[in-house]
Amino acid sequence: MIRSFVRWLRGYVRLCVAGYSPERFLNMCCFHQLFIWGLEPTGKGYGMYMSVRDFRKLKPLVRKTHTKVTLEGRYGFPFFLARYRKRKLFFAGLFLCAALVWGYSLFIWDIHFEGNERYPDTTLAEFLKSEGIAPAMLRSRVDCPGIVKAIRKEYNDIVWVSASIDGSRLKIQVKENEDTFPEEETLTGEEAPSGDDSGQKGTPAVSDSREERPVDLVASADGVITEIVTRSGVPQVHVGDAVKKGDILVLGRVEVVNDSQEVIGYQYHSSDADIFADTQMEYTDTLDLAYQEKVYDGKKKYQPFLRLADWTVSVGSVRNKYEHSERVTEETQVRLGENFYLPFSYGMKCVKSYSLVERKYTEEEARQLLSLDFKRFCEDLEEKGVQIRENDVKIHLYENSATASGTLFLNERITEESDTEILTVERKETDESVGTDD
Amino acid sequence: MEREQIRERLASAASMPKDVVMGASVVTMLGDFEACIENYRGIAEYTDSLVRVQTKGGQIRVTGRRLQIEYYTNDEMKVTGKIKTLEFIDGRNRE
């Protein structure tokens, strides 16, 4: 395949050799390293193919062997060019094509993101656009280290970024921090807690100031403590203790006592602990058995359209006199590659007519719907890290409604932050000692 | 003939390839439609039913139908077509 392409590129000819001893001619060709292929006997002599370069060396051999060589055909690229040499526009097109390919390759046409799960492509693309990086920009203007820095600065929980140019595509690979708990995510965004171990360069000043704010941990719900791991602060409860909502679990205030066990001052900390407790939660979900169902009667109207910036062309109309109708518009914006959107879109408007019919769920349907809802509720809880130990949720059916109700027995993290009460020690000398302690 | 025999013995004793030592031609057949010949002197005759190839020790005769030489270089040639027979003829005895 490649060999025949190379032959075509260099050009080759078909010869017919006739005369007294064409075999001698063949052997001499061989001897002089002239490559022959497609050799076949014809009526008068032999037909064969030979490259143009070899054909030029043939003259002395022909004279020596007294054979007659006739040229039967010319093939390949050099002959193709020679045949069409007068078609100037064709060559101009060829040149223009090459020039355009080169010209277009100077620009970035696509931005590709990899490894992002929490931040969608569009979010990252918008951020890059605000940084002045968008498709159709010059390749030479792209500053990869700058992009990396900007992304690391903007997004705290992207722990690794790499930007590289791959042809005319800007490839951005990111690695998100997967260790942060979903509950702590809100904290990560707002106040960079000490639990965030991503080691951001830009944040220590902030976290320092936060650490100084004294914080207690209080119970966010009633329950019985099952596990307590304290990292800072003074625990106020033990495993097995029953706590009420608002009770202090870990105190952020540490007493400083002197040799005679008198309190002479306080040190304040931001408390940090993992505390799990068995809690209970009431669950009720009511479903009306009567409902209205949409029955489509098959009447539809379509209106396809093309949109170029603010200018729209459409065919047909969706105006109607239906009593109830549903309108669906689908619009697709044309794009090159993954993230280069053109100001051009197409779509379809569709109106469907329907009528409302009063229906009633059967017992079985109501049961299914309620248990599906309950299942989803449980999945949501488990996603938040709550463990469900037991539940006694039952479904009760009434004349016009159905209810699922009962109690869920859970095991969950019950800590909530609240400011520590600042106490002052009245004696004068202790105030000084507090000052020296700090 | 003496020399030939000595060479053959030498080749088998030293376990050297005979095509190199004795200049024997190598014929590789693929089914009955392809024959690859190496170590030859030249073509003696070529029609679409007969190819005679001159080698060091004699001639190789390939007969068949629609014979065609796919390529022909200084050290290798390939004959394709419907091959019927392949004979080795001792050139000197025949002449």
Side-chain angles (χ1 to χ4, degrees):
Chain A
M1 178 69 197
I2 290 174
R3 188 181 286 183
S4 57
F5 178 72
V6 171
R7 276 177 197 162
W8 180 84
L9 209 63
R10 291 190 177 162
Y12 60 94
V13 290
R14 187 180 160 79
L15 308 176
C16 188
V17 182
Y20 171 64
S21 172
E23 286 86 3
R24 185 164 176 237
F25 174 81
L26 294 181
N27 293 334
M28 283 195 72
C29 283
C30 254
F31 182 73
H32 287 98
Q33 310 275 347
L34 307 182
F35 187 72
I36 292 169
W37 71 94
L39 185 64
E40 59 185 2
T42 56
K44 299 166 276 178
Y46 298 121
M48 68 184 93
Y49 293 97
M50 187 179 263
S51 69
V52 174
R53 207 197 300 162
D54 290 350
F55 178 69
R56 298 223 170 93
K57 299 178 193 162
L58 224 53
K59 217 167 193 179
L61 309 190
V62 172
R63 208 174 321 135
K64 216 172 206 172
T65 54
H66 301 292
T67 46
K68 202 180 163 198
V69 174
T70 44
L71 196 67
E72 288 192 333
R74 290 170 229 201
Y75 311 92
F77 188 61
F79 299 111
F80 173 82
L81 281 189
R83 195 179 310 152
Y84 295 117
R85 65 184 177 278
K86 284 189 180 167
R87 303 196 176 182
K88 290 188 182 68
L89 274 180
F90 169 75
F91 287 104
L94 216 62
F95 177 75
L96 191 70
C97 172
L100 283 179
V101 166
W102 176 78
Y104 285 142
S105 70
L106 294 178
F107 295 89
I108 289 287
W109 289 109
D110 190 20
I111 300 178
H112 176 72
F113 298 99
E114 261 180 40
N116 51 326
E117 279 170 20
R118 199 169 302 155
Y119 300 105
D121 287 0
T122 42
T123 312
L124 292 175
E126 263 169 36
F127 168 68
L128 286 182
K129 199 171 183 182
S130 70
E131 294 283 310
I133 292 152
M137 73 182 291
L138 270 175
R139 259 176 69 169
S140 50
R141 294 243 180 100
V142 177
D143 167 28
C144 286
I147 294 172
V148 170
K149 264 182 205 160
I151 293 179
R152 291 272 280 130
K153 208 169 176 183
E154 176 75 14
Y155 300 100
N156 265 343
D157 45 354
I158 291 182
V159 292
W160 177 83
V161 190
S162 145
S164 55
I165 294 175
D166 191 8
S168 62
R169 160 193 271 204
L170 178 64
K171 196 160 113 187
I172 292 178
Q173 291 165 293
V174 299
K175 180 93 179 111
E176 289 171 357
N177 189 3
E178 290 155 359
D179 299 337
T180 43
F181 286 100
E183 292 163 73
E184 287 174 348
E185 237 171 71
T186 47
L187 300 178
T188 318
E190 292 163 11
E191 45 188 85
S194 52
D196 179 22
D197 53 355
S198 56
Q200 295 293 320
K201 278 184 196 163
T203 49
V206 181
S207 56
D208 278 355
S209 68
R210 294 297 179 189
E211 261 171 27
E212 284 182 7
R213 187 174 74 111
V215 167
D216 288 343
L217 294 179
V218 299
S220 60
D222 298 357
V224 178
I225 308 290
T226 57
E227 194 190 334
I228 173 162
V229 176
T230 317
R231 280 184 286 271
S232 74
V234 184
Q236 305 289 304
V237 291
H238 301 282
V239 171
D241 287 359
V243 294
K244 289 232 165 339
K245 183 175 179 175
D247 284 359
I248 294 178
L249 303 175
V250 178
L251 195 62
R253 186 176 65 228
V254 181
E255 290 178 349
V256 180
V257 293
N258 62 9
D259 293 343
S260 50
Q261 300 298 311
E262 290 171 331
V263 177
I264 53 165
Y266 297 104
Q267 287 183 346
Y268 293 96
H269 293 281
S270 169
S271 305
D272 184 18
D274 288 336
I275 300 169
F276 293 90
D278 287 343
T279 57
Q280 292 184 6
M281 182 191 264
E282 293 299 323
Y283 176 84
T284 44
D285 184 16
T286 313
L287 177 76
D288 234 346
L289 286 183
Y291 71 104
Q292 289 187 320
E293 197 184 69
K294 285 180 180 179
V295 176
Y296 297 98
D297 48 18
K299 286 185 205 156
K300 284 181 194 168
K301 278 189 159 186
Y302 292 105
Q303 183 185 21
F305 64 90
L306 292 174
R307 195 196 299 276
L308 182 68
D310 297 334
W311 187 65
T312 312
V313 190
S314 58
V315 184
S317 150
V318 287
R319 257 185 287 169
N320 61 73
K321 285 176 182 168
Y322 302 145
E323 193 185 350
H324 298 284
S325 64
E326 216 177 59
R327 174 190 278 224
V328 180
T329 305
E330 279 175 30
E331 186 168 347
T332 311
Q333 195 168 4
V334 179
R335 59 183 178 176
L336 282 179
E338 281 175 56
N339 287 304
F340 183 30
Y341 286 94
L342 302 173
F344 177 70
S345 59
Y346 61 92
M348 176 82 87
K349 285 181 193 170
C350 176
V351 175
K352 282 184 197 171
S353 155
Y354 66 86
S355 51
L356 290 169
V357 178
E358 293 285 338
R359 289 271 164 86
K360 201 170 175 184
Y361 289 119
T362 62
E363 270 186 30
E364 193 53 38
E365 282 171 338
R367 259 176 218 288
Q368 272 179 4
L369 281 172
L370 285 173
S371 49
L372 190 70
D373 278 354
F374 181 63
K375 207 175 138 194
R376 281 193 191 135
F377 181 75
C378 290
E379 278 169 5
D380 278 358
L381 281 181
E382 271 168 14
E383 240 171 58
K384 283 182 199 155
V386 178
Q387 195 186 337
I388 300 170
R389 289 179 298 138
E390 214 183 308
N391 76 70
D392 64 354
V393 175
K394 290 195 176 66
I395 294 171
H396 307 278
L397 293 168
Y398 306 105
E399 199 184 340
N400 287 321
S401 66
T403 310
S405 66
T407 313
L408 286 166
F409 298 93
L410 312 170
N411 186 280
E412 60 177 327
R413 184 190 286 259
I414 55 158
T415 50
E416 203 174 62
E417 289 189 352
S418 93
D419 288 343
T420 308
E421 193 189 347
I422 308 282
L423 294 182
T424 47
V425 180
E426 277 133 27
R427 280 190 298 170
K428 206 180 176 188
E429 58 265 50
T430 44
D431 278 349
E432 284 168 7
S433 69
V434 170
T436 48
D437 278 348
D438 284 341
Chain B
M1 283 319 274
E2 271 297 301
R3 191 180 281 177
E4 281 296 295
Q5 278 174 358
I6 290 167
R7 279 192 177 198
E8 198 178 339
R9 278 193 191 161
L10 196 75
S12 46
S15 68
M16 291 212 302
K18 289 177 189 168
D19 55 327
V20 179
V21 181
M22 298 167 62
S25 55
V26 181
V27 183
T28 315
M29 294 280 304
L30 186 71
D32 64 345
F33 48 85
E34 208 177 282
C36 206
I37 306 172
E38 293 166 60
N39 263 352
Y40 60 87
R41 291 256 167 91
I43 295 178
E45 190 184 347
Y46 173 35
T47 65
D48 69 344
S49 58
L50 169 72
V51 180
R52 280 200 295 139
V53 181
Q54 187 69 43
T55 66
K56 196 185 166 204
Q59 279 185 353
I60 295 173
R61 249 173 85 98
V62 182
T63 61
R65 283 185 290 122
R66 299 191 310 275
L67 294 183
Q68 194 190 355
I69 295 177
E70 196 115 300
Y71 56 84
Y72 183 58
T73 66
N74 211 2
D75 37 46
E76 191 182 346
M77 68 189 282
K78 188 186 257 181
V79 181
T80 58
K82 175 86 178 161
I83 296 171
K84 215 191 275 171
T85 65
L86 185 97
E87 292 171 73
F88 294 91
I89 296 157
D90 198 340
R92 290 175 208 173
N93 288 357
R94 208 182 168 199
E95 295 299 316

